[in-house]
Amino acid sequence: MADSASTVSQIYAQTLGVIEAVEPRIAGAIRSELTDQRGSLKLIASENYASLPVLLTMGSWLSDKYAEGTIGHRFYAGCQNVDTVESVASEHARELFGAEYAYVQPHSGIDANLVAYWSILAHRIESPTLERLGAKTVNDLSEEDWEALRATFNQQRVMGMSLDAGGHLTHGFRHNISGKMFRQHSYGTNPETGLIDYDKLLADAREFKPLILVAGYSAYPRRVNFARMREIADEVGATLFVDMAHFAGLVAGKVFTGEENPVPYAHVVASTTHKSLRGPRGGFVLATNEYAPSVDRGCPMVLGGPLSHVMAAKAVAFAEARQQGFQSYAQAVADNAKVLAEGLLKRGVTLVTGGTDNHLVLLDVSSFGLTGRQAESALLDSGVVTNRNSVPNDPNGAWYTSGVRIGTPALTSRGFGAAEFDQVAELITGVLKATSPLTTAAGTPGKAKYTIADGVAERTQAAANELLDANPLYPGLEL
Ligand code: DSN
């Protein structure tokens, strides 16, 4: 990052001047965001810092082009440059992950998951129905057959990990469209170990008979055996869909290989680009050739027009992830998470599953007498940015929670290693020990009610600043 920083500093300074002339508050917010990101320990497991080439790629007139459809088959004229962008991004994604097919249009992880669901419904339900009825498209169906097909869509079943065990909203949670469009059954984790119980999962799947088995997580601190997941899916006739949004960087960086790499085992894989993969904010889908034609119908079936400027930045990020250095980065993310977990454990913090072997750590803060919300707020006051998260069977529900989720991708990008992460564990533990819940009117109305012992937040922020200053974000970039 450092070499190009002075050139980029000039570009950004001039660009912000241009923006300032139109809307100074926006130029101010952009500057202020850099100050905030530089000045806090970013431990949100789903966040990262994209490279300057990735960020710069997004600021272009590719944004101005409509390109609904797919490569070479657009609903608008003049898409030759977008075709190039999408082809390059897709080629990099295929090569990076060893996938048969890659679709880089989804605007976010949720959009990618919707494309995945759609593609499975199209492949498993729509196509065979059309074939049976001798129709080429749904336009060829009688009103009666069309209604019957629509009713069949509504009967389908999805089985994914429950939200409190670490699954994602889009894995069938009732407050997400996935829980409304499918009949849904969740699998949890073993109450003793906190780990996925594959035998129980198989028994549940035999009973529930899902069309789609979802593997993947946003708050499970362990690796998944995707070979076993595929066996279970095959045994019950389900399509295996893996949501690797959180750990795509660990797959790309060859930390998750063999049975821990979902790509050879899943029919469809969806992901984000901006978490451990360190690209721009966005999503993508990988699929076997069998599912590719239905994935390709993602826009306009599910998605609005592709964000061509972001697809271009995805191509740059995939290219970066194909460079040798990315594997060292990904390994460091996993190694640092272990150090962080061990640092917390030895200081008496309770961790869900007793540790981690991916990029995230889930703290159960109930032993400090705190809710996740109180802990999250106290840490934020001290310069440590985390997010509260449910723990399995959380008595505090999804709003207050009993947990705090932290991850290593962002600070590893800044250059933090084992020594720094051990200090981070010390700082987190210090804040949690110094925070007390307030249950009376003494708490500020509308805020999480807690109090931090005098001076602890300030001392923690000062210690964090030392670590941050020694590992600068976008060194040399001055605005
Ligand atoms: N926002 C993502 C996360 O934090 O894990 C999930 O959507």
Side-chain angles (χ1 to χ4, degrees), residues 35-72:
T35 307
D36 290 352
Q37 296 213 19
R38 279 178 162 164
S40 55
L41 291 171
K42 191 202 267 218
L43 285 166
I44 292 180
S46 49
E47 292 188 4
N48 211 327
Y49 305 106
S51 71
L52 292 174
V54 166
L55 294 178
L56 285 168
T57 306
M58 281 185 281
S60 90
W61 29 90
L62 283 166
S63 168
D64 296 334
K65 190 74 195 93
Y66 248 122
E68 283 176 23
T70 53
I71 302 165

Side-chain angles (χ1 to χ4, degrees), residues 44-47 109-110 168-170 217-219 243 245-246 272 274-275 281 360 387 389 405:
I44 292 180
S46 49
E47 292 188 4
I110 287 187
H168 189 250
L169 289 166
T170 50
Y217 52 79
S218 60
D243 177 353
H246 260 262
T272 54
H274 51 273
K275 298 186 171 88
R281 188 158 294 279
L360 71 87
N387 70 282
N389 207 99
R405 185 188 68 165

